[in-house]
Amino acid sequence: MKLLIVEDQAKTGQYLCQGLSEAGFSAELATDGNTGQHLALTGDYALLILDVMLPGRDGWQILQAVRAAGLDTPVLFLTARDAVEDRVHGLELGADDYLVKPFAFSELLARVRTLLRRGGSPTQETLLGVADLSLDLIRRRVERAGQRIDLTAKEFSLLELLLRRQGEVLPKSLIASQVWDMNFESDTNVIEVAIRRLRLKVDDAHDNKLIHTVRGMGYVLEERTA
Amino acid sequence: MRRLSLGNRLALLFAACTAVVSLLAGVLFSRASESHFIELDQQLLSGRLSLMRQLLEGVHDRTSLNTRLPALQAELSHQADLAVRIRGNDGRLWFDSQPGLPDSPMTPGLNTLTSDGADYRSLSEALGGEGTPNLTLFLDITHHQHFLQRMQRLIWLTVGLSALATALLGAWAARSGLRPLRQMGEVAAGVSARSLTTRLPVAQMPVELADLANTVNAMLERLDDAFQRLSAFSSDIAHELRTPLSNLLTHTQVTLTRPRSLEEYREALHGNLEELQWMAQLVNDMLYLAKADNGLLMPSRQPLALEDEVGALLEYYAPLAEDAQVRLSHAGQAQLEGDRHMLRRALSNLLDNALRFTPAGGEIRLKIERQDSGVRLEVANSGEPIDPALIPRLFDRFYRADPARHEGNSEHAGLGLAITQSIIKAHGGTIHGESAQGWTRFVIELPTA
């Protein structure tokens, strides 16, 4: 999938480009507003990542031009400014998400994937699974190797999230927001504890571990054959 | 238009008051003297009139008058300011004792007349009964009138001079009376960020200004306090960032001094990542607080069932509390309009804080109470009491009740309660702490209106 990053800070742009490329996207970088707008209008991208403050024309102008051209490419704003009116302004113009610097790359990645998925098939699978783990949303049943696992409601939601986005590293903040509706960066290690408990029920009795900690980034559910 | 100074205003008021008072006094005095003169003239004239009537008794025509004229003139010669006019019953003039007398009315009684620059008081009466010749006496009162005119001039002069004098005196008095105000201005002018410790000398101030001086002093006090906090905050930021920065520098440089295994590099990067995440969280928290300080924290107003919010939070913290062997419970319910995310964040910080300080086997209770004008929310945890003197400081930025956590621990920057306080304030509420009988309580009061 092709993404466009418009970011005038050379290092930031380069790192983002590298990170997104390594995450499996084909990322292109523009370092000024005019090039960025030209590319955005002609390049057929799946997602635009725009800095607000840019030489030439700012991110908002690019967004306006893109929307005026009838493109509904999802747009994610990056900014060092965190004034409420800025945020409102961006969203009013049709931005899809907004990240304030400093942000964690894992957070950006998770949001990029969310935005890209939004356009995709809306059909909700009711049966999720990986390896010998399966989760049935309708019967609210979880089984591992044929054995039923009893989970609390929140543990069930957590496992559902991990399963739906298997292979993706989910940062703690995203987990807190999606499972518990806690939309703020928190100091606590609540998520760590919750994951530990889920692991105890899902993974501990099995050699093939499915829930992995990616140090400093978050958690991922995937089958690792090694 | 430039506004009149207070001193000038007072001086003008003084002058106007004096002018009015002296003018009134002058007018009264001049009226009184005039009526006194009239009374005197009346007495004099009526005395003379009866004398003249005796002299002229029986006169009924010109010839009989002529016989009496010598006696009349002899009588008049005693009094130079007195003149006589006699008119027949038909109104024709029979006799004037001197020329240039003014026309006078035939009606009896006292009149004031003017002729050729001389003033007269006249008194007329018939000599006998009805149809007898009419006798009019004229008294020259020019000197009286001159006196009155002089007095009026004097009054105007007095009015003018006293107004001028009081204006000058008033200006001087106002100037010296307002000296404390000027001192206040000088002190205020001398106040800058460097000298916020200057205070107005309240003891030396007049009573009227003491209140104002106290208010100004209180304002200076608050400014000073806020400024101290601000400078402490900036230096705290620098200090807080210095530790992780120096860790990062040292760690990175040491790692790079010689070739290492892949695993060691990975380890080094992870170490750096932790420091960086901590710094990012710190910066984000501080930006949040800065926004709150600038009044930019604008909570949305959505209807919330507080017990649901509290329930969700307790559910969120339940695993952590179970691990720490702390019991969580909540009671009560209330409706409130507020920002769900902000209030959750505020309560989350309180719960987080409570969990840090509750010993194993302890308890955390959340109590929601409806009150007349709002909602009272209490987060209470069992455990070691906190020194009451320290409680207000808990809301200070970077304040840590537990010094052992001060450095090295990457989780806790000491901004949580400050953020909670900012959020509650943005909702128009208050928060305070108390600690007694083995319980530490944080009490939030939020208005529902």
Side-chain angles (χ1 to χ4, degrees):
Chain A
M1 248 186 277
K2 219 164 65 154
L3 310 183
L4 176 67
I5 303 161
V6 189
E7 166 68 69
D8 61 322
Q9 300 283 322
K11 273 191 171 184
T12 312
Q14 206 181 314
Y15 295 153
L16 285 177
C17 219
Q18 187 189 350
L20 288 167
S21 301
E22 287 175 5
F25 299 102
S26 138
E28 288 175 24
L29 176 67
T31 51
D32 69 274
N34 292 320
T35 319
Q37 177 167 329
H38 176 72
L39 286 173
L41 290 173
T42 55
D44 189 28
Y45 295 95
L47 177 80
L48 307 177
I49 298 173
L50 304 179
D51 191 10
V52 173
M53 308 287 268
L54 287 170
R57 49 184 60 228
D58 64 30
W60 289 331
Q61 286 172 308
I62 298 178
L63 172 63
Q64 275 175 313
V66 166
R67 292 287 179 259
L71 297 171
D72 59 352
T73 320
V75 171
L76 189 147
F77 267 109
L78 303 179
T79 179
R81 296 172 23 155
D82 180 26
V84 178
E85 52 268 41
D86 277 6
R87 197 177 294 231
V88 170
H89 187 54
L91 296 176
E92 270 176 358
L93 290 177
D96 298 273
D97 207 347
Y98 201 98
L99 260 182
V100 180
K101 295 174 188 171
F103 53 83
F105 180 73
S106 52
E107 180 77 35
L108 173 73
L109 197 58
R111 300 231 195 163
V112 165
R113 289 197 163 119
T114 310
L115 285 177
L116 289 174
R117 194 172 289 110
R118 198 183 287 171
S121 61
T123 51
Q124 287 273 356
E125 285 182 60
T126 58
L127 212 62
L128 302 166
V130 65
D132 53 356
L133 174 71
S134 68
L135 182 144
D136 186 335
L137 275 170
I138 295 171
R139 288 159 60 213
R140 300 200 73 76
R141 255 176 96 95
V142 178
E143 282 179 11
R144 179 92 199 248
Q147 295 275 308
R148 181 166 181 176
I149 302 172
D150 280 320
L151 295 180
T152 65
K154 287 294 168 191
E155 284 166 347
F156 189 89
S157 308
L158 178 57
L159 186 60
E160 182 194 339
L161 176 71
L162 288 166
L163 271 168
R164 277 193 190 285
R165 308 188 65 162
Q166 49 187 281
E168 287 180 30
V169 179
L170 304 178
K172 287 192 214 171
S173 55
L174 182 117
I175 295 175
S177 149
Q178 298 271 312
V179 178
W180 283 273
D181 195 18
M182 300 291 159
N183 290 289
F184 47 85
E185 294 282 333
S186 163
D187 287 344
T188 62
N189 43 0
V190 171
I191 306 298
E192 269 166 58
V193 175
I195 292 278
R196 177 149 40 84
R197 289 167 163 251
L198 184 64
R199 249 186 202 146
L200 196 71
K201 292 179 177 177
V202 174
D203 267 352
D204 265 23
H206 304 266
D207 288 334
N208 182 14
K209 308 291 183 206
L210 295 175
I211 302 171
H212 308 277
T213 306
V214 183
R215 228 177 114 190
M217 304 260 285
Y219 303 94
V220 61
L221 186 144
E222 63 189 354
E223 190 175 18
R224 287 180 177 170
T225 48
Chain B
M1 193 185 81
R2 197 149 168 265
R3 293 174 71 186
L4 220 52
S5 84
L6 212 53
N8 289 345
R9 210 178 283 209
L10 282 174
L12 279 181
L13 271 174
F14 281 145
C17 290
T18 321
V20 169
V21 169
S22 50
L23 192 64
L24 272 176
V27 167
L28 275 178
F29 186 67
S30 122
R31 282 277 165 80
S33 17
E34 198 170 353
S35 64
H36 177 67
F37 281 137
I38 290 173
E39 206 176 310
L40 280 182
D41 293 344
Q42 167 109 43
Q43 276 175 10
L44 190 127
L45 281 171
S46 45
R48 292 293 154 189
L49 195 68
S50 50
L51 199 74
M52 294 294 164
R53 278 172 67 184
Q54 277 172 14
L55 268 174
L56 296 174
E57 202 169 3
V59 171
H60 48 85
D61 57 15
R62 280 190 170 208
T63 41
S64 55
L65 174 67
N66 285 342
T67 58
R68 305 282 178 88
L69 274 180
L72 185 67
Q73 268 155 352
E75 183 59 39
L76 282 172
S77 63
H78 293 309
Q79 240 160 336
D81 51 355
L82 207 64
V84 172
R85 165 177 291 166
I86 299 164
R87 279 182 287 199
N89 45 9
D90 54 357
R92 270 193 310 194
L93 182 68
W94 285 0
F95 173 73
D96 259 356
S97 69
Q98 62 185 57
L101 289 176
D103 290 336
S104 64
M106 292 286 282
T107 50
L110 197 68
N111 288 297
T112 307
L113 306 161
T114 305
S115 164
D116 295 340
D119 295 300
Y120 297 94
R121 200 90 69 195
S122 71
L123 188 64
S124 302
E125 211 170 28
L127 270 180
E130 197 64 21
T132 50
N134 180 286
L135 177 68
T136 307
L137 272 184
F138 292 92
L139 183 66
D140 186 347
I141 55 160
T142 311
H143 59 288
H144 283 175
Q145 294 305 90
H146 280 170
F147 171 74
L148 279 175
Q149 276 162 12
R150 260 209 317 281
M151 202 166 71
Q152 263 162 16
R153 274 203 298 278
L154 206 62
I155 286 166
W156 282 116
L157 197 66
T158 312
V159 168
L161 281 178
S162 60
L164 189 67
T166 46
L168 291 173
L169 281 171
W172 173 79
R175 249 183 106 69
S176 57
L178 292 174
R179 192 170 298 136
L181 263 186
R182 272 204 308 285
Q183 281 174 351
M184 223 180 228
E186 279 159 18
V187 171
V191 169
S192 72
R194 279 170 208 280
S195 63
L196 281 170
T197 45
T198 318
R199 293 289 180 273
L200 293 170
V202 179
Q204 294 163 32
M205 289 281 168
V207 187
E208 291 87 345
L209 286 180
D211 269 353
L212 182 59
N214 272 326
T215 313
V216 171
N217 278 348
M219 184 190 77
L220 285 173
E221 188 86 42
R222 285 197 301 277
L223 273 178
D224 191 25
D225 194 45
F227 188 73
Q228 295 292 346
R229 268 171 205 258
L230 199 64
S231 359
F233 189 45
S234 324
S235 66
D236 280 347
I237 292 170
H239 180 76
E240 293 292 326
L241 289 175
R242 194 157 50 187
T243 311
L245 275 174
S246 99
N247 288 350
L248 278 171
L249 281 170
T250 315
H251 195 192
T252 310
Q253 284 181 341
V254 168
T255 309
L256 290 172
T257 43
R258 61 183 174 83
R260 290 170 197 278
S261 73
L262 201 59
E263 194 47 45
E264 279 176 304
Y265 283 126
R266 188 172 289 144
E267 204 47 45
L269 279 175
H270 275 305
N272 286 357
L273 183 59
E274 273 167 21
E275 297 287 355
L276 288 167
Q277 279 173 336
W278 187 86
M279 282 166 68
Q281 173 78 49
L282 179 73
V283 168
N284 281 333
D285 282 355
M286 284 184 330
L287 285 174
Y288 195 82
L289 282 171
K291 237 161 67 172
D293 288 346
N294 291 317
L296 293 173
L297 216 58
M298 282 173 283
S300 65
R301 299 269 166 196
Q302 55 196 111
L304 300 174
L306 216 45
E307 64 275 15
D308 293 346
E309 300 306 313
V310 166
L313 271 163
L314 291 190
E315 196 176 16
Y316 180 60
Y317 276 97
L320 204 59
E322 248 173 71
D323 269 22
Q325 293 170 32
V326 171
R327 244 175 317 139
L328 296 179
S329 65
H330 72 103
Q333 53 186 32
Q335 294 286 322
L336 186 70
E337 289 216 332
D339 190 301
R340 166 178 277 129
H341 298 310
M342 283 194 194
L343 286 176
R344 281 190 173 192
R345 182 172 189 170
L347 288 174
S348 158
N349 289 339
L350 282 180
L351 272 172
D352 189 49
N353 188 67
L355 272 168
R356 280 176 213 279
F357 293 101
T358 311
E363 201 182 342
I364 298 175
R365 288 183 195 159
L366 270 81
K367 208 158 72 186
I368 306 164
E369 275 172 29
R370 262 187 296 241
Q371 289 185 326
D372 294 342
S373 57
V375 172
R376 182 179 185 277
L377 189 72
E378 181 187 295
V379 180
N381 69 283
S382 61
E384 292 276 305
I386 303 174
D387 180 356
L390 291 181
I391 287 176
R393 293 205 56 198
L394 294 179
F395 298 102
D396 285 356
R397 290 152 194 206
F398 299 118
Y399 182 78
R400 292 176 183 87
D402 181 0
R405 285 182 177 269
H406 192 77
E407 273 164 35
N409 191 309
S410 61
E411 287 185 346
H412 184 50
L415 290 173
L417 288 183
I419 287 177
T420 296
Q421 190 179 37
S422 296
I423 290 173
I424 299 302
K425 274 188 185 165
H427 278 81
T430 58
I431 180 169
H432 70 269
E434 52 197 43
S435 190
Q437 282 137 26
W439 287 88
T440 300
R441 290 186 178 79
F442 286 95
V443 179
I444 296 173
E445 278 166 317
L446 287 167
T448 36

